[in-house]
Amino acid sequence: ENIDPNSEFAHQYAIATGATAGVAAGAIGLFGGPIVALATAGIAAYTGSLLGAMGGMDDEDKSTEPPRRQSGVFLAVHMANPDDKQRIISTLKAGQAEDIELAQGIWRNGDWVDFNPIEAPHLEH
């Protein structure tokens, strides 16, 4: 998953801009000889790819995105009885759990089969 979902096509912008800048600089550099042509093409291709990649990224404010889960170890507890909620939360906190969230899903053969890791977490406080 891309950190910035809007940067999905940034590599295509980088390749297209880098190639265009490299060809243009190479053509200009031909007047100065092969070494100048190679140096100019290399510098222009790098600069063009950098600018192209930046042009393919979105500049909008990311504060509107839903919060994401932190990476690390996840422990899912199947709570068959809702009356056990506070006891389970207390036990997890005693074990130094950092984020505790409450979610619903399908539990089949000991596995949470419809867990979506990129869904915004619903943290318990």
Side-chain angles (χ1 to χ4, degrees):
E1 175 188 3
N2 292 329
I3 293 293
D4 179 0
N6 297 315
S7 69
E8 181 178 351
F9 300 105
H11 67 283
Q12 293 173 348
Y13 288 109
I15 292 169
T17 308
T20 302
V23 169
I28 293 169
L30 283 176
F31 295 110
I35 293 177
V36 172
L38 289 174
T40 305
I43 292 169
Y46 174 77
T47 304
S49 67
L50 178 63
L51 293 175
M54 291 175 65
M57 293 170 47
D58 191 13
D59 291 334
E60 76 179 43
D61 184 16
K62 301 298 180 218
S63 62
T64 60
E65 289 186 9
R68 294 177 181 253
R69 287 183 182 87
Q70 297 295 318
S71 62
V73 177
F74 288 87
L75 170 69
V77 178
H78 181 221
M79 185 171 51
N81 184 353
D83 294 336
D84 293 336
K85 176 181 171 184
Q86 279 311 119
R87 183 180 56 82
I88 292 170
I89 290 174
S90 297
T91 302
L92 291 170
K93 285 182 178 179
Q96 299 178 351
E98 292 184 19
D99 292 330
I100 300 173
E101 68 177 278
L102 184 62
Q104 293 187 1
I106 299 170
W107 198 268
R108 187 177 301 134
N109 297 326
D111 290 323
W112 186 0
V113 296
D114 62 345
F115 175 69
N116 182 358
I118 61 172
E119 178 182 292
H122 306 285
L123 297 177
E124 284 288 314
H125 298 287

